[in-house]
Amino acid sequence: MRLFSATIATETNTFSPLPTSLDAYKESVFLRPGEHPTDAPRMCTAPLFVARRRAAAEGFTLIEGSCFAASPAGTTNRADYEFMRDEILSQLKAALPLDGVLFGLHGAMVAHGYDDVEGDVLERARAIVGADCVIGVELDPHCHLTLKRVRLADITILYKEFPHTDVVVRAEDLLTLVLRTIRKEIRPTTALYDCRQIGSYPTTLPLMRAFVDKTAAMEGRGGVLSVSIGHCFPYADVPELTGRILVITDNDKAQASRLASELGQEFIAMRGRTAPEYLECDAGISAALAFNGSPVVMADPADNAGGGAPSDNTSILRRLMERKVDNAALGPIWDPIAVRLCFDAGLDARFPLRFGGKIGPTSGQPIDATVSVTALKRDCWQSFGPTQVPLGDCAAIKVGGVEIALISNRTQALGLELFRNLGIEPTERKLVVVKSTNHFMAAFGPIAQKVIYVDSDGPLSRDYRRIGYIRVRRPIWPLDEHTLPGPLE
Ligand SMILES: [Zn+2]
C-alpha cells in the first residue's frame, strides 16, 4: 500500500493590505522531502506527521511531499502559488501508483486568480491519481468548505476545537478512515448542508462546547464516520464564504443528508449567541476607566495580526490620547520604520515621531506626536505557552500617559514579555490594550481584573455587516435577515 502526503496552507484575509509571497512561506513552513522535522508537526502538516509515525505498523509506505504554509495575511502571489502547487503535483505524479493521498490544507487560502485554492489543488491531484485512489483532506474550521473540494475528496475532516488543540487527533481520524476505505471496510458517503451564516464560534464558550461534544459523540456509532462543523473564515470576499455542516456516513446517503440537515438547523438556531460581547471603542475605554480595579485588559481583535491584520491601527490609541488617559499601555504596533527612527534618536530621547497608521485605510491615520523613547531592545521576544515568538527589534515610547510597544516582526499580543522586556510592567497599569482576538487570554487573562473586547475600525471587524463584501453569495446572515439554508449534496 502506498500513500502520499503534502501541505499547502495559509489563511487568506482578502481585505488585508499585506500581500503574501513565497517569502512568507519561507519564513514559516517551507519543507521539502527529507527536511520534515520528526519532533512535532508544523502548522497544517499533521497528516504527514501522523502517517509517517503509523506507516510501518499499519503496513503502508509513505511518500513525503513538500509542505508549504504561511502566517495569515493577504492574497497569495499567483506565480508563487502555482510554483508551490506544481512542485507538489510533480511529486504526486512521480509517486504513482498510489492507493491514498493525505493533504494537510488550511482551507481558506486564496491566490490571485484562485478563489478556491484547495479545490484547484484537489482537481489537479484527482486528475493525476484517478478515481480509485482515496483522497483524504484535513482542514481548519475557518475554511471555505466549497462543494467542489468536498466532491473531489473522499474524506474531509475539520478540526473540532477553537482554539485548535486537536489538529493531530483529527489527522489520526483522517488517516484511519482513509486506510479503512482503501481496505474496503467502509464506503464514505458525504452530505453537505449550507447554513448561510457568518459567525465566530469559540469552543471555550458553553453553547458551542455543547454542540461540538454532541457531534463528536455521534462519530463511530450507527454508521456515522465523521461530523465536521465549518465555521467559515469571515475575512475573505469569496462566493462560498458561509458556515456549513459536513457529515460522512458509511454508504448511507439518506442518513448523511438527514443528519447534516438536523445539525445545520441546530447551528442556525445558535446565530448571534456564540461570540463574546464587543463594545465600541469609546464605550470600552469608559468601561475600563469606570472599573474599580486594575489592570483592565482591553482586546482589539479587529487589528489581530493572527487574522491577517497589519497590527498598526491607531484608532484606540488616538482616543486614549484625546481623552488624556493615564497609566495605560498598548501593544503591539507593527512599525519597523518607527522602531528604526527610535533607535536613531536613542534611549531617553524626546523627538517628533510619526508612527502607526501606515499599511492601509483600515490602519487609521498615523499618529504624529512628540514621544519619549523609554526602551530599545534588539531581537526581542514574547512567550506563547512553551514557545518563544520573535518580535524583532523593539522600542517603547511614551505619549502623554500611554506607553506603546513598537515591534518589527508582525505578530499579535501573546505574552507579558511584549511589555516587560521593554520595561513596562502590565500588572502596574490601569489599562493594558492588546491587539489579539483570544490567544492573549493565556497570559493576560490571569493578571486581568477585567477583560473588555472592543470592536475597532481595524480590518477584522467583529460586525460582519461593516465588511466590504462584494462577491460573497447572498442572502447570508447577518448581512441579510432572511436566508435560504439547505442541503447542497
Ligand atoms: Zn482557524
Side-chain angles (χ1 to χ4, degrees), residues 25-45:
Y25 293 83
K26 287 180 176 166
E27 281 168 12
S28 188
V29 176
F30 200 85
L31 300 164
R32 264 67 182 264
E35 299 172 0
H36 294 295
T38 51
D39 57 337
R42 301 287 186 269
M43 289 167 83
C44 298
T45 66

Side-chain angles (χ1 to χ4, degrees), residues 13-175:
N13 179 334
T14 65
F15 301 100
S16 171
L18 293 165
T20 301
S21 73
L22 210 53
D23 286 340
Y25 293 83
K26 287 180 176 166
E27 281 168 12
S28 188
V29 176
F30 200 85
L31 300 164
R32 264 67 182 264
E35 299 172 0
H36 294 295
T38 51
D39 57 337
R42 301 287 186 269
M43 289 167 83
C44 298
T45 66
L48 184 148
F49 178 78
V50 162
R52 169 195 281 169
R53 221 173 35 193
R54 286 170 52 178
E58 306 212 23
F60 66 88
T61 302
L62 177 70
I63 297 97
E64 299 186 359
S66 294
C67 291
F68 306 115
S71 293
T75 304
T76 289
N77 176 302
R78 179 176 189 140
D80 291 352
Y81 161 57
E82 290 172 347
F83 167 78
M84 293 184 283
R85 176 196 70 193
D86 292 347
E87 177 168 314
I88 289 171
L89 293 175
S90 68
Q91 293 165 345
L92 186 65
K93 211 173 280 177
L96 293 174
L98 288 166
D99 302 284
V101 178
L102 301 163
F103 279 120
L105 309 176
H106 176 287
M109 178 171 174
V110 178
H112 287 287
Y114 299 92
D115 282 339
D116 181 6
V117 159
E118 293 78 6
D120 180 56
V121 170
L122 290 174
E123 186 170 42
R124 291 166 193 272
R126 179 58 83 189
I128 291 169
V129 299
D132 293 338
C133 180
V134 179
I135 299 183
V137 179
E138 186 180 28
L139 299 176
D140 186 296
H142 300 117
C143 66
H144 312 296
L145 202 49
T146 68
L147 188 53
K148 177 177 178 177
R149 73 179 63 167
V150 169
R151 279 183 176 157
L152 283 159
D154 296 280
I155 300 156
T156 301
I157 289 184
L158 278 54
Y159 323 147
K160 296 186 190 303
E161 302 295 329
F162 173 37
H164 308 320
T165 51
D166 61 333
V167 179
V168 172
V169 184
R170 297 287 86 81
E172 302 273 9
D173 293 350
L174 179 69
L175 177 59

Side-chain angles (χ1 to χ4, degrees), residues 228-474:
S228 288
I229 305 164
H231 298 194
C232 86
F233 177 61
Y235 306 104
D237 195 15
V238 294
E240 286 187 70
L241 163 63
T242 175
R244 285 179 174 167
I245 304 287
L246 176 68
V247 174
I248 307 176
T249 61
D250 185 8
N251 199 24
D252 189 339
K253 181 71 184 178
Q255 183 195 21
S257 300
R258 196 169 55 240
L259 190 53
S261 293
E262 272 172 32
L263 295 173
Q265 281 153 30
E266 192 171 335
F267 199 36
I268 291 166
M270 290 160 57
R271 285 178 183 175
R273 297 186 292 139
T274 58
E277 186 195 3
Y278 298 101
L279 300 178
E280 292 293 321
C281 178
D282 262 299
I285 295 172
S286 297
L289 297 180
F291 181 75
N292 185 20
S294 65
V296 175
V297 174
M298 182 190 287
D300 179 11
D303 198 25
N304 172 19
S311 196
D312 75 337
N313 178 286
T314 54
S315 299
I316 294 177
L317 174 58
R318 188 178 303 282
R319 286 303 293 149
L320 292 176
M321 291 166 61
E322 286 167 354
R323 292 178 64 169
K324 300 194 172 12
V325 173
D326 200 29
N327 198 19
L330 181 145
I333 285 191
W334 178 61
D335 192 336
I337 294 170
V339 171
R340 160 84 196 267
L341 297 175
C342 289
F343 271 88
D344 290 343
L347 190 61
D348 294 330
R350 218 175 127 70
F351 79 115
L353 177 68
R354 168 171 285 200
F355 66 97
K358 282 197 175 61
I359 301 299
T362 50
S363 300
Q365 292 298 309
I367 302 274
D368 284 294
T370 299
V371 307
S372 302
V373 181
T374 58
L376 295 168
K377 211 141 220 159
R378 298 276 181 204
D379 295 322
C380 223
W381 55 274
Q382 63 179 343
S383 59
F384 184 49
T387 61
Q388 274 200 4
V389 178
L391 299 167
D393 295 346
C394 290
I397 54 173
K398 192 164 186 196
V399 190
V402 187
E403 292 164 290
I404 301 132
L406 301 174
I407 64 169
S408 297
N409 282 11
R410 190 177 61 92
T411 182
Q412 64 182 299
L414 297 168
L416 301 175
E417 305 88 349
L418 167 67
F419 295 108
R420 278 187 181 153
N421 284 344
L422 295 170
I424 302 166
E425 179 47 54
T427 57
E428 292 172 6
R429 296 294 170 267
K430 167 68 186 174
L431 173 62
V432 180
V433 183
V434 290
K435 291 182 182 289
S436 173
T437 300
N438 221 28
H439 286 334
F440 73 94
M441 279 298 282
F444 289 85
I447 67 153
Q449 297 303 305
K450 184 179 176 63
V451 177
I452 293 173
Y453 294 85
V454 160
D455 191 7
S456 77
D457 59 349
L460 278 62
S461 175
R462 311 312 290 178
D463 181 350
Y464 308 117
R465 293 167 299 186
R466 296 204 317 219
I467 299 175
Y469 301 115
I470 295 167
R471 304 180 52 242
V472 171
R473 197 170 297 150
R474 308 288 288 266

